[in-house]
Amino acid sequence: MTKFVQRGGLWVLSQALLLLAAIFLGLRFRGNGGHPVSGISGGILLAAGASIALAGGFALGRTITPFPEPSTQAQLVRSGIFSAVRHPIYAGLVGASTGWALFWRSWPALLMALGLLPFLDAKARREEEWLRERFPEYREYEASVKKFVPGIY
C-alpha cells in the first residue's frame, strides 16, 4: 500500500472516482428535450476528447501508467500529440467528460466534468515535478509546449 501511495495512487483513485461520478451523473440526471445541438456538439466533443486521450496513450506506448510518477522505463515523449500539448490524456478526459455531459444534457455531469479540470491540473503539476527530476530537458519542453490547450494553456 505504501508504494501505491508514494507513486501517486491517491491521485489515481480520486481520478477514477471523479470519472465514474461524471458517467453516473450523466446517465442518472439526463435532461429532457432541449436543443439537439447540445447533443450533437456533446457527441463531437466526446469523440474528440477520447481521440486526444487515446493518441496520448498510444504515443506513450508500454510506458503508460495511471500514476503521476513516471514508470522506470519512461522516456520523454515530445512528438506526435505531445508536440501540441504536454498532457493530452488529461485534456482528452476533460473534453470527453464535458462532451458526455452535453450529450446527455446533464447539468450535474457538466459540473463534475468541469471539476475535473482543476483536479487534473493539480495532478499534472505533481507529475511535472517528477518529470523535471527524471528528465533535465523537461524544463525546455515545458517552456515551449502548453499544458492542455495548444497555444493557450
Side-chain angles (χ1 to χ4, degrees):
M1 182 68 162
T2 303
K3 184 69 173 162
F4 175 81
V5 172
Q6 288 174 340
R7 292 191 63 210
L10 296 179
W11 286 103
V12 175
L13 183 61
S14 299
Q15 178 180 324
L17 292 173
L18 289 170
L19 289 169
L20 287 172
I23 292 168
F24 170 78
L25 290 169
L27 293 173
R28 175 67 178 93
F29 298 101
R30 295 182 227 176
N32 294 329
H35 201 280
V37 170
S38 71
I40 293 167
S41 61
I44 291 169
L45 187 56
L46 173 61
S51 297
I52 291 167
L54 286 171
F58 284 127
L60 291 174
R62 293 182 182 205
T63 65
I64 191 170
T65 176
F67 294 97
E69 181 183 35
S71 71
T72 56
Q73 304 88 8
Q75 306 225 345
L76 182 58
V77 177
R78 297 173 70 161
S79 59
I81 190 80
F82 283 92
S83 67
V85 292
R86 297 192 314 265
H87 297 280
I89 296 173
Y90 299 160
L93 288 175
V94 171
S97 298
T98 303
W100 174 262
L102 292 173
F103 180 81
W104 292 111
R105 297 174 183 91
S106 173
W107 286 106
L110 183 60
L111 291 174
M112 181 61 66
L114 296 177
L116 276 171
L117 184 57
F119 173 82
L120 291 173
D121 189 54
K123 184 181 177 192
R125 277 195 306 273
R126 179 62 185 117
E127 184 174 326
E128 290 183 330
E129 290 173 17
W130 274 314
L131 288 166
R132 281 185 222 103
E133 290 173 13
R134 175 91 47 93
F135 305 107
E137 65 274 23
Y138 191 81
R139 288 189 188 280
E140 175 194 329
Y141 172 61
E142 190 175 22
S144 63
V145 177
K146 297 296 185 184
K147 191 183 285 189
F148 292 134
V149 181
I152 298 172
Y153 181 74

